[in-house]
């Protein structure tokens, strides 16, 4: 990637981050607290290592909470009885940018390769 492209990407993601934070700040206090809690969990447990995917995930989170406010849905209606389960399901929608997804894919390939080698060795 060229330096100007890299700078444009970094500036764009920073702008998107600020826009996301501004959107969350405008939520009613209970939704804002819930969104920040989900955001914190996503940042620690999300495993998303590419900025584009992380920003898309956070923007979708802001969309979800904004729509919930507009619809009059409660925070509990959004996250359900188990907020951890909600966030884990939410994360799975964005695992293409996850280091854990790549590691899972490598593990599956390593096991498939090992199985194939066993098949060739026993013949």
């Amino acid at each position: 990637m060229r330096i100007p492209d890299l700078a444009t990407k970094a500036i764009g993601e920073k702008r998107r981050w600020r826009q996301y934070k501004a959107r969350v700040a405008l939520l009613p206090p209970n939704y804002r607290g819930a969104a920040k809690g989900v955001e914190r969990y996503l940042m620690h447990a999300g495993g998303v290592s590419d900025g584009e995917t992380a920003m898309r995930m956070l923007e979708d989170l802001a969309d979800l909470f904004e729509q919930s406010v507009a619809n009059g849905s409660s925070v509990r209606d959004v996250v359900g009885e188990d907020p951890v389960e909600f966030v884990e399901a939410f994360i799975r929608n964005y695992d293409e940018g996850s280091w854990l997804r790549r590691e899972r894919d490598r593990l599956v390939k390593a096991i498939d390769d090992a199985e194939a080698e066993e098949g060739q060795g026993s013949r």
Side-chain angles (χ1 to χ4, degrees):
M1 180 178 281
R2 299 174 336 145
I3 296 296
D5 295 338
L6 185 62
T8 300
K9 182 179 178 195
I11 290 168
E13 287 177 357
K14 192 172 187 177
R15 181 177 303 130
R16 289 172 68 189
W17 170 255
R18 287 184 180 156
Q19 289 171 343
Y20 159 76
K21 294 300 274 185
R23 291 172 65 191
V24 170
L26 292 175
L27 292 170
N30 55 330
Y31 292 88
R32 183 174 48 240
K36 286 181 177 179
V38 172
E39 173 194 315
R40 179 175 171 80
Y41 189 90
L42 289 171
M43 293 299 191
H44 288 283
V48 175
S49 57
D50 97 62
E52 169 58 31
T53 302
M55 284 312 311
R56 189 165 38 90
M57 181 173 62
L58 292 172
E59 290 165 345
D60 289 348
L61 178 67
D63 288 345
L64 176 65
F65 277 97
E66 288 171 345
Q67 289 171 2
S68 298
V69 170
N71 294 339
S73 303
S74 72
V75 169
R76 188 60 73 183
D77 289 340
V78 175
V79 300
E81 290 302 315
D82 186 350
V84 173
E85 183 179 306
F86 164 78
V87 177
E88 293 292 334
F90 190 83
I91 289 170
R92 284 192 291 274
N93 293 318
Y94 304 93
D95 70 348
E96 75 274 5
S98 162
W99 62 268
L100 185 56
R101 170 65 178 265
R102 288 190 295 271
E103 291 306 316
R104 286 178 180 151
D105 291 346
R106 285 186 185 128
L107 173 61
V108 169
K109 183 177 182 327
I111 299 302
D112 288 346
D113 291 348
E115 183 180 37
E117 286 179 26
E118 282 178 352
Q120 291 174 357
S122 64
R123 292 182 186 172

